[in-house]
Amino acid sequence: MARGGSEPIGEYAVLGDGHTAALVSRRGSVDWLCLPRFDSPACFAALLGGPSRGRWLLTVPDATGVRRAYLGDSFVLQTTYTSPTGTALVTEAMPLGDGRADLVRRIECLSGSVDVLHEWVVRFGYGTIVPWVHHVEDHEGNDSIRAIAGPDSLLLRGTRLPRGAGRAHVDRFRLAEGEVVELASTWARSWRRAPRRLPVTERLAETRQRWARWSRLCQYDGPHSEAVVRSLLVLRMLTDEETGGIVAAPTTSLPESFGGERNWDYRYCWLRDAAMTLDALLAYGYRSEATAWRDWLLRAVAGDPADLQIMYGSDGRRDLPETTLDHLAGYASSRPVRIGNAAVGQRQNDVLGGVMVALESARASGLRETTESWSLQQHLVAELIGHWREPDHGIWEVRGRPRHFTHSKVMAWAALDRAVRAVEEHRLPGPLERWRAERAAIRLDVLKHGFDAGRGAFTQHYGSSHTDAALLQMVQVGFLPPDDPRVRGTVAAIREELEVAPGLLLRYRADRVDDGMRSGEHPFLACSFWLVDALARCGEADEADALLGRLISLGNDVGLFAEQYDPVGGRMVGNFPQALSHLALVQAAQSVERALARRTTGRAADPPPARRPLLGG
């Protein structure tokens, strides 16, 4: 069995088209791609099973230097290879806005001459299915290579095609200065005629322009603007262009602990993560995404409020059974490799809090409620009222027994608080006195059972003495004011207990929590950015700004962040790129900007104006 994951996670860049995403290594190997959607089976799965499980390699094999960067504010990637004999440039992207599923690549020799290695290995079904691969002439008369298996087909076209070599297609050739080779892989249903051949150079330029138009709408000029804009782009790239669903990451089973079992499928829409993503996008003026996500929410959760799930497919699909892919060795021999997610059946009482906070932000930004959207919220709040007193599995989806997690209670309070605000501030109908009473009851319950007076801090769950980094969200949602001694005590306790390197926080101490797992994990980047946010809100502007800069420096060379970071090994850990890490970054940056403005002018910076995004058109 081939060993997966020979490249460090941080060595990958991501390409996306608003429907799915590809991971391409610094050395030019597309090692992960699911087609046609984020949660479709992979046709290139080398990331988890080695090259024999599928990859698309285009590289200069004897390169002594490799530099790469996205073209401006886009996901058009350029990689420059320097070899002993010359220099070559690879430009690649997944084109936007045409309803297709293509990956286009262009290699040009800039100086001297270079040797090029091209290898195309297609394996459908997460590397299990060897397709029928043959040369064909497409309906436009272009020479093509088509791989077919069951419902899927992948067509390779270009100015120079590889030849069959065993169960791969390989080409080795030399490019002289000024020579160019263009290539495109196109997915299509096997019974349909292949789409027309793309003009590669033109589509690369158009795709760059579409991303640039969208990013220009941000108009953020606060601290660390380059990282903020890149993170906003990542969040938009992880948003399904057709459905409005926002996936947590484009990958599955990149481990939280190398060689361990904490390997999860993140190619789905967690209501909590998606709601926080929406909140982050709204904060920078992107209202169209709010409308699309609210419409997605209405479709996904339609039906009995008691059937609310914590996650859905990007199309709103509910059935996400967890299975293992035992034929894959796993990244860095980390098994099992999982698809689907058993946490879909958990009760997590915090989820609605994040949703209601985001929808309140949408209302505040001018998005008008529809009768259907407000009716849905009323029914979900009514359902929460009946269950918030029960234990749950919490934000971290522990697979041990349910607990009365303090964070879950705080977020249930936030759900009721935003429902009350909707009536008081936006004149929406609702049982105001009932909601006020429940909000007060949750607050009293948390203060009585979730606070350790001896330590001066809130605890992870009722009856415990240890803490949890998720409690940093307490100040974000306004459960207590940032100058409250209990907030400051909790921030101090979290740092004392969970900070394993400057600014890098564990979610919780795994040895103190029955989370159903044997292996440990590394610092969680979203929690680390939440610490920045909390410090900024508590008035520690300089420390927050310095810490934000340190955390941003941990991103890879193209500004991407995984779920976690290993400070000892100096490397990314977990699924990649991770929406939660990027959205926490942009939220932290906004809080730092406001804290710096308050210190200078005595008032917070004005929020950016709402603007209409143009990604799809």
Side-chain angles (χ1 to χ4, degrees):
M1 179 181 293
R3 181 176 181 269
S6 60
E7 294 281 352
I9 292 170
E11 290 293 285
Y12 286 94
V14 67
L15 312 173
D17 64 0
H19 300 284
T20 189
L23 264 60
V24 56
S25 74
R26 184 187 298 271
R27 287 287 178 172
S29 183
V30 178
D31 287 344
W32 184 255
L33 177 59
C34 301
L35 289 170
R37 309 192 79 89
F38 290 108
D39 58 358
S40 298
C43 60
F44 299 135
L47 184 68
L48 300 178
S52 66
R53 299 298 183 179
R55 70 171 180 176
W56 187 12
L57 175 67
L58 182 66
T59 191
V60 176
D62 62 345
T64 55
V66 181
R67 292 181 293 105
R68 63 181 181 176
Y70 289 118
L71 272 174
D73 295 329
S74 78
F75 285 104
V76 177
L77 181 69
Q78 285 197 324
T79 305
T80 303
Y81 294 94
T82 302
S83 78
T85 59
T87 305
L89 178 69
V90 173
T91 307
E92 53 198 329
M94 298 190 74
L96 291 172
D98 54 12
R100 297 172 45 147
D102 301 279
L103 199 164
V104 299
R105 315 182 81 175
R106 181 182 190 274
I107 183 167
E108 177 183 5
C109 183
L110 302 178
S111 64
S113 63
V114 293
D115 291 319
V116 178
L117 173 60
H118 180 204
E119 181 179 278
W120 195 64
V121 183
V122 179
R123 297 291 183 267
F124 294 115
Y126 300 104
T128 60
I129 302 172
V130 179
W132 174 40
V133 184
H134 57 295
H135 271 269
V136 298
E137 187 176 280
D138 70 13
H139 60 279
E140 296 173 307
N142 300 302
D143 186 27
S144 310
I145 302 174
R146 193 170 196 185
I148 292 180
D152 297 299
S153 75
L154 202 60
L155 196 70
L156 178 65
R157 291 176 285 198
T159 53
R160 181 186 176 108
L161 297 178
R163 296 185 177 184
R167 292 190 167 186
H169 277 69
V170 180
D171 191 14
R172 297 175 185 270
F173 57 94
R174 178 171 284 266
L175 275 184
E177 184 173 336
E179 292 182 333
V180 175
V181 169
E182 296 183 341
L183 299 160
S185 273
T186 302
W187 177 90
R189 292 295 180 193
S190 59
W191 58 86
R192 291 181 179 167
R193 189 169 69 171
R196 65 179 180 83
R197 180 176 172 177
L198 289 179
V200 171
T201 300
E202 290 85 343
R203 292 299 287 128
L204 286 168
E206 291 168 4
T207 296
R208 179 188 180 184
Q209 292 165 6
R210 285 177 183 267
W211 283 115
R213 284 202 301 270
W214 188 85
S215 64
R216 280 197 298 269
L217 300 174
C218 172
Q219 295 195 348
Y220 174 75
D221 58 0
H224 312 287
S225 59
E226 184 176 344
V228 168
V229 172
R230 175 55 55 190
S231 291
L232 290 168
L233 283 162
V234 170
L235 297 178
R236 187 62 185 89
M237 186 268 295
L238 294 175
T239 302
D240 189 297
E241 180 72 11
E242 183 178 2
T243 70
I246 305 170
V247 301
T251 57
T252 179
S253 298
L254 290 181
E256 297 173 11
S257 177
F258 296 117
E261 61 180 334
R262 295 177 185 266
N263 316 316
W264 313 113
D265 192 348
Y266 278 8
R267 298 170 300 152
Y268 306 114
C269 301
W270 271 254
L271 290 188
R272 176 197 307 109
D273 294 20
M276 287 192 287
T277 298
L278 173 64
D279 203 27
L281 289 169
L282 279 167
Y284 290 87
Y286 292 103
R287 291 177 54 190
S288 180
E289 284 74 11
T291 303
W293 184 79
R294 188 183 66 184
D295 292 345
W296 174 89
L297 179 69
L298 287 169
R299 296 190 304 270
V301 307
D304 189 339
D307 296 331
L308 179 72
Q309 296 184 174
I310 64 168
M311 73 180 83
Y312 299 84
S314 62
D315 58 358
R317 177 167 52 94
R318 295 177 177 232
D319 187 21
L320 308 175
E322 183 176 299
T323 59
T324 61
L325 301 180
D326 297 332
H327 66 281
L328 293 176
Y331 182 90
S333 300
S334 304
R335 304 183 70 193
V337 172
R338 294 182 173 94
I339 58 171
N341 201 305
V344 69
Q346 289 186 353
R347 171 169 288 281
Q348 297 175 17
N349 289 332
D350 70 295
V351 169
L352 186 58
V355 171
M356 294 296 290
V357 167
L359 292 176
E360 168 61 24
S361 296
R363 284 190 292 269
S365 72
L367 182 66
R368 298 183 63 181
E369 288 285 4
T370 67
T371 301
E372 293 80 7
S373 65
W374 179 240
S375 176
L376 170 67
Q377 292 168 66
Q378 288 178 288
H379 283 88
L380 292 176
V381 169
E383 177 67 18
L384 178 65
I385 287 173
H387 291 285
W388 71 261
R389 293 174 176 82
E390 300 172 4
D392 72 329
H393 290 92
I395 184 175
W396 305 129
E397 299 175 356
V398 298
R399 299 201 174 192
R401 66 186 178 90
R403 302 273 192 174
H404 290 280
F405 286 102
T406 305
H407 172 266
S408 293
K409 309 293 187 187
V410 168
M411 295 306 292
W413 174 90
L416 268 297
D417 181 70
R418 272 43 175 197
V420 167
R421 290 191 197 183
V423 177
E424 292 179 338
E425 299 175 13
H426 300 281
R427 308 289 185 182
L428 292 169
L432 181 59
E433 294 308 317
R434 174 76 189 282
W435 287 350
R436 283 173 173 167
E438 288 292 334
R439 181 180 63 174
I442 299 172
R443 178 184 173 86
L444 181 62
D445 193 70
V446 171
L447 296 179
K448 181 177 180 180
H449 300 292
F451 184 73
D452 184 338
R455 192 176 186 186
F458 287 92
T459 61
Q460 184 184 52
H461 57 80
Y462 292 1
S464 67
S465 59
H466 57 274
T467 191
D468 186 323
L471 293 169
L472 292 166
Q473 289 193 300
M474 182 178 294
V475 67
Q476 292 180 358
V477 301
F479 182 80
L480 289 173
D483 59 353
D484 190 294
R486 291 166 293 189
V487 169
R488 294 181 175 272
T490 300
V491 173
I494 286 171
R495 299 193 75 172
E496 177 185 0
E497 185 176 322
L498 303 178
E499 191 171 16
V500 298
L504 288 171
L505 299 182
L506 299 171
R507 297 183 297 172
Y508 51 82
R509 287 286 179 181
D511 57 348
R512 301 181 186 180
V513 179
D514 174 24
D515 64 4
M517 296 284 110
R518 294 186 299 272
S519 58
E521 61 176 19
H522 297 282
F524 203 79
L525 286 169
C527 296
S528 304
F529 287 117
W530 290 345
L531 174 61
V532 171
D533 182 273
L535 291 172
R537 291 172 188 265
C538 290
E540 305 294 338
D542 289 334
E543 183 180 5
D545 190 29
L547 180 53
L548 179 59
R550 167 174 163 71
L551 293 175
I552 287 173
S553 73
L554 301 181
N556 73 359
D557 58 318
V558 289
L560 304 179
F561 292 87
E563 181 181 26
Q564 301 180 12
Y565 187 82
D566 172 11
V568 176
R571 56 186 178 175
M572 300 275 188
V573 185
N575 282 305
F576 173 86
Q578 179 80 356
L580 190 59
S581 298
H582 284 276
L583 73 91
L585 185 159
V586 300
Q587 289 173 326
Q590 186 179 57
S591 291
V592 168
E593 180 190 25
R594 290 178 173 176
L596 293 172
R598 277 195 299 270
R599 190 185 61 187
T600 302
T601 66
R603 65 181 182 86
D606 294 329
R611 296 174 177 271
R612 184 173 63 88
L614 300 170
L615 180 59

